[in-house]
Amino acid sequence: MNKFIFRTSVLAAATLVALTLSSCSDSNGDMMTDMAFQRTITFENVVTPKDFVESGSFQGMGTAPIISPGQSVSVTFSAGKTQALMFATMYGASKDWFFASQQPGIKLFDTNGNAITGDVSSSVRLWDNGTKDDTTGQVESKPIMQVPNVNASQLMKLSLAYNDVTSEFTLTITNTSGGTANETPFSPGVWAVSNYNGSQLLNSAPFFTPNALSNPEITDIAQMGNISKMMTQLNANTGIMTGLSPALIVVYRGDKNPMYELGKTDNGMGLKDIAQFGNVAKLQNSLKSLPNVQGVYVAGNAPVAPGSKATTNFNAEPGDKIAYATMFGFSNDWFYANEQSIDANTKGDISSKTSLFDSGTGIDQYPGAGNHQALFGGTPQIESKVISKVGTQYPVPAVQNVIKVTIN
Protein backbone atom coordinates (compact mmCIF):
# COMPACT_ATOMS: atom_id res chain seq x y z
CA MET A 1 0.00 0.00 0.00
CA ASN A 2 2.77 2.37 0.98
CA LYS A 3 4.65 1.43 -2.18
CA PHE A 4 1.53 2.12 -4.26
CA ILE A 5 1.05 5.52 -2.61
CA PHE A 6 4.73 6.33 -3.20
CA ARG A 7 4.59 5.33 -6.84
CA THR A 8 1.36 7.28 -7.35
CA SER A 9 2.86 10.31 -5.67
CA VAL A 10 6.00 10.10 -7.81
CA LEU A 11 3.91 9.72 -10.98
CA ALA A 12 1.74 12.68 -9.99
CA ALA A 13 4.80 14.79 -9.25
CA ALA A 14 6.40 13.79 -12.51
CA THR A 15 3.24 14.63 -14.38
CA LEU A 16 3.07 18.02 -12.65
CA VAL A 17 6.70 18.75 -13.52
CA ALA A 18 6.13 17.71 -17.13
CA LEU A 19 3.07 19.92 -17.40
CA THR A 20 4.96 22.77 -15.80
CA LEU A 21 7.92 22.36 -18.16
CA SER A 22 5.58 22.08 -21.12
CA SER A 23 3.83 25.22 -20.05
CA CYS A 24 7.12 27.05 -19.61
CA SER A 25 8.33 25.81 -23.01
CA ASP A 26 5.17 26.98 -24.72
CA SER A 27 5.43 30.31 -22.94
CA ASN A 28 9.07 30.77 -23.99
CA GLY A 29 8.20 29.81 -27.55
CA ASP A 30 5.43 32.37 -27.63
CA MET A 31 7.83 34.90 -26.12
CA MET A 32 10.49 34.20 -28.76
CA THR A 33 7.87 34.45 -31.50
CA ASP A 34 6.73 37.76 -30.08
CA MET A 35 10.33 38.99 -30.04
CA ALA A 36 11.04 37.96 -33.66
CA PHE A 37 11.04 40.84 -36.11
CA GLN A 38 11.11 41.65 -39.80
CA ARG A 39 13.27 44.22 -41.51
CA THR A 40 13.60 45.57 -45.05
CA ILE A 41 17.07 45.94 -46.59
CA THR A 42 17.67 48.07 -49.69
CA PHE A 43 20.67 48.24 -52.01
CA GLU A 44 20.80 51.37 -54.15
CA ASN A 45 23.23 52.05 -56.98
CA VAL A 46 24.15 55.72 -56.56
CA VAL A 47 27.11 55.91 -58.95
CA THR A 48 27.12 58.87 -61.37
CA PRO A 49 27.58 57.60 -64.95
CA LYS A 50 30.24 59.41 -66.95
CA ASP A 51 30.59 59.44 -70.74
CA PHE A 52 34.12 58.06 -70.72
CA VAL A 53 35.79 55.29 -68.75
CA GLU A 54 39.31 56.52 -69.60
CA SER A 55 40.75 59.58 -71.30
CA GLY A 56 44.03 61.43 -71.67
CA SER A 57 46.32 63.41 -73.91
CA PHE A 58 49.46 62.97 -76.01
CA GLN A 59 52.14 65.23 -77.42
CA GLY A 60 55.54 65.20 -79.08
CA MET A 61 58.65 64.62 -77.02
CA GLY A 62 60.71 67.53 -78.34
CA THR A 63 61.14 71.05 -76.98
CA ALA A 64 57.99 71.95 -78.88
CA PRO A 65 55.19 69.48 -78.09
CA ILE A 66 54.26 68.99 -81.75
CA ILE A 67 54.61 65.68 -83.59
CA SER A 68 56.71 66.45 -86.66
CA PRO A 69 56.90 64.35 -89.84
CA GLY A 70 58.72 61.11 -89.05
CA GLN A 71 57.97 61.26 -85.34
CA SER A 72 55.69 58.93 -83.36
CA VAL A 73 53.78 59.00 -80.08
CA SER A 74 51.95 56.21 -78.24
CA VAL A 75 49.00 55.98 -75.84
CA THR A 76 47.98 52.96 -73.76
CA PHE A 77 44.38 52.35 -72.72
CA SER A 78 42.01 49.55 -71.75
CA ALA A 79 38.92 48.41 -73.62
CA GLY A 80 36.48 45.55 -74.07
CA LYS A 81 34.32 44.43 -76.96
CA THR A 82 32.04 47.18 -78.34
CA GLN A 83 34.28 49.97 -76.98
CA ALA A 84 36.29 52.21 -79.30
CA LEU A 85 39.04 54.80 -79.09
CA MET A 86 38.39 58.37 -80.19
CA PHE A 87 41.25 60.83 -80.64
CA ALA A 88 41.78 64.31 -82.08
CA THR A 89 44.82 66.38 -83.06
CA MET A 90 45.27 69.48 -85.23
CA TYR A 91 46.51 69.34 -88.82
CA GLY A 92 49.04 72.03 -88.03
CA ALA A 93 49.46 73.49 -91.54
CA SER A 94 45.84 74.63 -91.75
CA LYS A 95 43.45 77.24 -90.49
CA ASP A 96 41.04 74.81 -88.77
CA TRP A 97 41.55 71.20 -89.81
CA PHE A 98 41.94 68.31 -87.44
CA PHE A 99 42.52 64.58 -87.53
CA ALA A 100 40.11 62.30 -85.69
CA SER A 101 38.95 58.73 -86.01
CA GLN A 102 35.59 57.91 -87.45
CA GLN A 103 32.66 57.80 -85.00
CA PRO A 104 32.41 56.33 -82.40
CA GLY A 105 36.18 55.77 -82.63
CA ILE A 106 38.76 53.26 -83.81
CA LYS A 107 37.24 49.78 -83.84
CA LEU A 108 39.21 47.57 -81.45
CA PHE A 109 37.58 44.11 -81.76
CA ASP A 110 36.25 42.19 -84.75
CA THR A 111 32.83 40.54 -84.95
CA ASN A 112 34.23 37.38 -83.34
CA GLY A 113 35.48 39.32 -80.34
CA ASN A 114 39.14 39.13 -81.32
CA ALA A 115 41.34 42.15 -80.73
CA ILE A 116 42.31 44.06 -83.86
CA THR A 117 46.03 44.70 -84.08
CA GLY A 118 48.46 46.07 -86.65
CA ASP A 119 47.82 48.89 -89.10
CA VAL A 120 44.45 50.60 -88.56
CA SER A 121 45.24 53.80 -90.46
CA SER A 122 42.03 53.42 -92.46
CA SER A 123 40.17 54.60 -89.33
CA VAL A 124 41.60 58.13 -89.43
CA ARG A 125 39.76 61.01 -91.08
CA LEU A 126 40.73 64.62 -91.78
CA TRP A 127 38.02 67.09 -90.83
CA ASP A 128 37.36 70.76 -91.62
CA ASN A 129 36.03 72.38 -88.43
CA GLY A 130 34.05 74.94 -90.44
CA THR A 131 35.01 77.90 -88.26
CA LYS A 132 37.57 79.58 -90.53
CA ASP A 133 37.86 80.09 -94.26
CA ASP A 134 40.55 77.70 -95.50
CA THR A 135 42.24 80.42 -97.61
CA THR A 136 41.71 83.74 -95.86
CA GLY A 137 41.29 82.54 -92.29
CA GLN A 138 38.20 84.69 -91.91
CA VAL A 139 35.65 83.52 -89.37
CA GLU A 140 32.84 81.41 -90.79
CA SER A 141 30.14 79.14 -89.42
CA LYS A 142 29.82 75.90 -91.33
CA PRO A 143 29.22 72.33 -90.18
CA ILE A 144 32.12 69.96 -89.61
CA MET A 145 32.83 68.09 -92.84
CA GLN A 146 35.52 65.75 -94.10
CA VAL A 147 38.25 67.51 -96.07
CA PRO A 148 37.84 66.44 -99.72
CA ASN A 149 40.61 65.06 -101.89
CA VAL A 150 43.03 64.37 -99.04
CA ASN A 151 43.74 60.79 -97.94
CA ALA A 152 44.28 61.10 -94.19
CA SER A 153 45.73 57.60 -93.90
CA GLN A 154 48.67 58.65 -96.08
CA LEU A 155 49.52 61.42 -93.64
CA MET A 156 49.05 59.53 -90.40
CA LYS A 157 49.81 55.89 -89.62
CA LEU A 158 47.91 54.23 -86.77
CA SER A 159 49.11 50.93 -85.33
CA LEU A 160 47.54 48.86 -82.52
CA ALA A 161 49.12 46.31 -80.17
CA TYR A 162 47.17 44.33 -77.56
CA ASN A 163 47.83 42.62 -74.22
CA ASP A 164 45.12 40.03 -73.60
CA VAL A 165 45.91 39.53 -69.91
CA THR A 166 45.38 43.19 -69.02
CA SER A 167 43.02 43.94 -71.95
CA GLU A 168 45.23 46.93 -72.74
CA PHE A 169 45.85 48.39 -76.18
CA THR A 170 48.73 50.57 -77.26
CA LEU A 171 48.06 52.93 -80.16
CA THR A 172 51.09 54.32 -81.96
CA ILE A 173 50.50 57.46 -84.03
CA THR A 174 53.18 58.22 -86.64
CA ASN A 175 53.38 61.38 -88.72
CA THR A 176 53.93 60.08 -92.27
CA SER A 177 53.11 63.33 -94.03
CA GLY A 178 56.74 64.15 -94.81
CA GLY A 179 57.42 64.62 -98.52
CA THR A 180 53.72 64.67 -99.45
CA ALA A 181 51.73 67.59 -100.80
CA ASN A 182 50.11 67.84 -97.37
CA GLU A 183 53.16 67.79 -95.12
CA THR A 184 52.21 69.00 -91.65
CA PRO A 185 53.02 68.73 -87.96
CA PHE A 186 50.42 67.36 -85.56
CA SER A 187 49.50 69.28 -82.43
CA PRO A 188 49.16 67.77 -78.96
CA GLY A 189 46.03 65.65 -78.97
CA VAL A 190 43.37 64.04 -76.80
CA TRP A 191 41.88 60.56 -76.59
CA ALA A 192 39.00 58.83 -74.81
CA VAL A 193 37.23 55.47 -74.49
CA SER A 194 33.46 55.67 -74.07
CA ASN A 195 31.79 53.92 -71.13
CA TYR A 196 29.67 50.86 -71.96
CA ASN A 197 26.63 50.01 -69.83
CA GLY A 198 26.02 46.48 -71.03
CA SER A 199 23.89 47.43 -74.01
CA GLN A 200 25.34 50.61 -75.54
CA LEU A 201 28.09 53.20 -75.40
CA LEU A 202 27.23 56.18 -73.23
CA ASN A 203 28.70 58.49 -75.87
CA SER A 204 28.53 57.20 -79.43
CA ALA A 205 29.73 60.51 -80.97
CA PRO A 206 32.54 61.72 -78.72
CA PHE A 207 34.26 65.12 -79.17
CA PHE A 208 32.15 66.34 -82.11
CA THR A 209 29.24 65.54 -84.39
CA PRO A 210 29.92 65.34 -88.14
CA ASN A 211 27.70 67.55 -90.31
CA ALA A 212 26.86 69.78 -87.33
CA LEU A 213 28.41 73.02 -86.05
CA SER A 214 31.54 72.61 -83.96
CA ASN A 215 31.99 73.25 -80.23
CA PRO A 216 34.54 75.40 -78.33
CA GLU A 217 36.62 72.38 -77.25
CA ILE A 218 37.26 70.92 -80.70
CA THR A 219 37.52 74.43 -82.20
CA ASP A 220 40.50 75.25 -79.97
CA ILE A 221 42.20 72.08 -81.16
CA ALA A 222 41.38 72.64 -84.84
CA GLN A 223 42.44 76.30 -84.88
CA MET A 224 45.31 76.46 -82.38
CA GLY A 225 46.21 72.91 -81.35
CA ASN A 226 45.13 73.88 -77.82
CA ILE A 227 43.73 70.93 -75.87
CA SER A 228 43.07 72.71 -72.56
CA LYS A 229 39.31 73.14 -72.93
CA MET A 230 38.87 69.59 -74.18
CA MET A 231 40.91 68.16 -71.29
CA THR A 232 38.82 70.11 -68.78
CA GLN A 233 35.68 68.63 -70.30
CA LEU A 234 37.15 65.11 -70.44
CA ASN A 235 38.31 65.24 -66.83
CA ALA A 236 34.80 66.19 -65.75
CA ASN A 237 33.19 63.46 -67.84
CA THR A 238 35.56 60.53 -67.26
CA GLY A 239 35.08 57.98 -64.51
CA ILE A 240 34.51 54.35 -63.60
CA MET A 241 30.88 53.30 -63.26
CA THR A 242 29.28 49.94 -62.51
CA GLY A 243 26.11 47.96 -62.16
CA LEU A 244 25.45 45.83 -59.08
CA SER A 245 24.25 42.25 -59.04
CA PRO A 246 21.26 41.03 -57.02
CA ALA A 247 22.40 41.05 -53.39
CA LEU A 248 22.60 37.96 -51.19
CA ILE A 249 21.70 38.45 -47.52
CA VAL A 250 22.25 35.89 -44.75
CA VAL A 251 20.91 35.96 -41.19
CA TYR A 252 23.20 34.03 -38.87
CA ARG A 253 24.40 33.43 -35.32
CA GLY A 254 27.99 33.63 -34.07
CA ASP A 255 31.05 35.76 -34.67
CA LYS A 256 32.13 34.47 -38.09
CA ASN A 257 30.71 35.91 -41.30
CA PRO A 258 29.61 32.78 -43.22
CA MET A 259 30.06 34.45 -46.64
CA TYR A 260 33.79 35.21 -46.69
CA GLU A 261 36.87 35.54 -44.54
CA LEU A 262 39.31 38.37 -45.22
CA GLY A 263 42.85 37.12 -45.84
CA LYS A 264 41.72 33.60 -46.78
CA THR A 265 41.27 32.12 -50.25
CA ASP A 266 37.80 31.54 -51.62
CA ASN A 267 36.26 28.47 -49.97
CA GLY A 268 34.34 27.26 -53.02
CA MET A 269 30.90 27.81 -51.49
CA GLY A 270 29.84 30.18 -54.25
CA LEU A 271 31.28 33.61 -53.51
CA LYS A 272 33.31 33.33 -56.72
CA ASP A 273 30.08 33.05 -58.72
CA ILE A 274 28.85 36.33 -57.25
CA ALA A 275 32.18 38.13 -57.63
CA GLN A 276 32.71 37.06 -61.25
CA PHE A 277 29.21 36.77 -62.71
CA GLY A 278 26.72 38.15 -60.16
CA ASN A 279 25.17 34.68 -59.74
CA VAL A 280 23.94 34.13 -56.16
CA ALA A 281 22.48 30.62 -56.54
CA LYS A 282 25.45 28.51 -55.43
CA LEU A 283 26.31 30.53 -52.33
CA GLN A 284 22.62 30.80 -51.49
CA ASN A 285 22.29 27.00 -51.40
CA SER A 286 25.59 26.54 -49.55
CA LEU A 287 24.58 28.95 -46.80
CA LYS A 288 21.24 27.22 -46.25
CA SER A 289 23.06 24.05 -45.20
CA LEU A 290 25.09 25.73 -42.42
CA PRO A 291 23.88 25.12 -38.83
CA ASN A 292 24.40 28.71 -37.69
CA VAL A 293 22.40 30.21 -40.59
CA GLN A 294 18.88 31.34 -39.70
CA GLY A 295 17.79 32.45 -43.17
CA VAL A 296 19.01 33.39 -46.65
CA TYR A 297 17.44 36.09 -48.84
CA VAL A 298 18.00 37.71 -52.24
CA ALA A 299 17.36 41.37 -53.10
CA GLY A 300 16.59 41.85 -56.79
CA ASN A 301 16.40 39.52 -59.76
CA ALA A 302 18.37 41.53 -62.33
CA PRO A 303 21.42 43.80 -62.48
CA VAL A 304 20.96 47.02 -60.51
CA ALA A 305 21.85 49.89 -62.84
CA PRO A 306 22.88 53.39 -61.69
CA GLY A 307 19.84 55.11 -60.20
CA SER A 308 18.08 51.83 -59.44
CA LYS A 309 17.62 49.83 -56.24
CA ALA A 310 16.83 46.30 -55.05
CA THR A 311 14.93 45.47 -51.86
CA THR A 312 13.93 42.42 -49.81
CA ASN A 313 12.52 41.64 -46.37
CA PHE A 314 14.25 39.35 -43.90
CA ASN A 315 13.19 37.77 -40.62
CA ALA A 316 15.40 37.63 -37.54
CA GLU A 317 15.43 37.28 -33.77
CA PRO A 318 17.39 39.04 -31.03
CA GLY A 319 21.05 38.03 -31.20
CA ASP A 320 21.02 37.41 -34.95
CA LYS A 321 23.45 39.13 -37.30
CA ILE A 322 23.27 39.79 -41.02
CA ALA A 323 25.85 39.77 -43.82
CA TYR A 324 25.47 40.63 -47.48
CA ALA A 325 27.35 40.54 -50.79
CA THR A 326 26.75 41.98 -54.26
CA MET A 327 29.02 42.04 -57.32
CA PHE A 328 30.81 45.16 -58.50
CA GLY A 329 29.39 44.37 -61.91
CA PHE A 330 32.01 46.02 -64.12
CA SER A 331 34.91 44.03 -62.67
CA ASN A 332 36.55 40.64 -63.08
CA ASP A 333 35.99 39.37 -59.52
CA TRP A 334 35.08 42.15 -57.08
CA PHE A 335 32.22 42.32 -54.62
CA TYR A 336 30.76 44.69 -52.05
CA ALA A 337 30.13 43.24 -48.58
CA ASN A 338 29.91 44.38 -45.01
CA GLU A 339 33.36 44.42 -43.42
CA GLN A 340 32.00 44.91 -39.89
CA SER A 341 29.44 42.64 -38.26
CA ILE A 342 25.90 44.01 -38.23
CA ASP A 343 23.21 43.33 -35.64
CA ALA A 344 20.09 42.17 -37.49
CA ASN A 345 18.03 44.60 -35.42
CA THR A 346 19.97 47.59 -36.82
CA LYS A 347 18.05 50.33 -38.60
CA GLY A 348 19.17 53.13 -40.91
CA ASP A 349 21.99 53.73 -43.38
CA ILE A 350 24.70 51.06 -42.99
CA SER A 351 26.73 52.00 -46.08
CA SER A 352 29.70 52.91 -43.88
CA LYS A 353 30.01 49.25 -42.89
CA THR A 354 30.42 48.27 -46.56
CA SER A 355 33.76 47.74 -48.34
CA LEU A 356 34.88 46.69 -51.81
CA PHE A 357 36.71 43.36 -51.95
CA ASP A 358 38.72 41.42 -54.50
CA SER A 359 37.81 37.72 -54.31
CA GLY A 360 41.25 36.73 -55.63
CA THR A 361 39.75 34.32 -58.17
CA GLY A 362 40.29 36.24 -61.41
CA ILE A 363 43.01 38.48 -62.84
CA ASP A 364 41.96 42.13 -62.59
CA GLN A 365 41.49 44.41 -65.56
CA TYR A 366 40.46 48.07 -65.75
CA PRO A 367 36.88 48.25 -64.35
CA GLY A 368 34.41 48.64 -67.19
CA ALA A 369 37.09 48.19 -69.85
CA GLY A 370 38.34 44.60 -69.50
CA ASN A 371 37.43 42.10 -72.18
CA HIS A 372 37.43 39.15 -69.73
CA GLN A 373 34.76 40.80 -67.59
CA ALA A 374 31.19 39.49 -67.53
CA LEU A 375 30.11 42.93 -68.80
CA PHE A 376 31.58 41.97 -72.17
CA GLY A 377 30.55 38.31 -72.03
CA GLY A 378 34.02 37.24 -70.92
CA THR A 379 35.37 34.85 -68.30
CA PRO A 380 38.11 36.04 -65.92
CA GLN A 381 41.51 34.42 -66.24
CA ILE A 382 42.14 32.22 -63.21
CA GLU A 383 44.21 33.33 -60.25
CA SER A 384 44.31 32.12 -56.65
CA LYS A 385 44.90 34.87 -54.11
CA VAL A 386 43.45 35.61 -50.71
CA ILE A 387 40.35 37.78 -50.39
CA SER A 388 41.50 41.36 -49.90
CA LYS A 389 40.20 44.90 -50.00
CA VAL A 390 40.48 46.56 -53.41
CA GLY A 391 43.38 49.00 -53.44
CA THR A 392 44.21 52.09 -55.45
CA GLN A 393 45.47 50.56 -58.68
CA TYR A 394 42.40 51.89 -60.48
CA PRO A 395 40.52 55.17 -59.81
CA VAL A 396 37.44 53.45 -58.39
CA PRO A 397 34.83 55.78 -56.85
CA ALA A 398 34.55 55.71 -53.06
CA VAL A 399 32.14 53.08 -51.72
CA GLN A 400 29.56 55.66 -50.63
CA ASN A 401 29.56 57.07 -54.16
CA VAL A 402 28.56 53.72 -55.64
CA ILE A 403 26.35 51.82 -53.20
CA LYS A 404 23.91 52.82 -50.46
CA VAL A 405 22.66 50.14 -48.07
CA THR A 406 19.78 50.86 -45.69
CA ILE A 407 17.70 48.80 -43.26
CA ASN A 408 14.20 49.79 -42.21
Side-chain angles (χ1 to χ4, degrees), residues 326-338:
T326 176
M327 180 189 183
F328 183 103
F330 292 10
S331 72
N332 296 77
D333 67 335
W334 294 356
F335 65 99
Y336 285 110
N338 56 299

Side-chain angles (χ1 to χ4, degrees), residues 59-73 155 157 172-177 185-186:
Q59 64 180 42
M61 301 302 292
T63 303
I66 62 173
I67 304 165
S68 301
Q71 294 182 333
S72 297
V73 64
L155 309 179
K157 180 181 179 181
T172 299
I173 301 171
T174 303
N175 187 332
T176 56
S177 69
F186 305 156

Side-chain angles (χ1 to χ4, degrees), residues 323-370:
Y324 51 83
T326 176
M327 180 189 183
F328 183 103
F330 292 10
S331 72
N332 296 77
D333 67 335
W334 294 356
F335 65 99
Y336 285 110
N338 56 299
E339 184 174 5
Q340 308 169 39
S341 63
I342 300 174
D343 189 309
N345 203 22
T346 299
K347 288 185 178 181
D349 188 337
I350 58 171
S351 305
S352 62
K353 296 181 181 293
T354 307
S355 295
L356 179 59
F357 297 94
D358 184 334
S359 73
T361 58
I363 295 175
D364 291 336
Q365 298 172 328
Y366 199 98

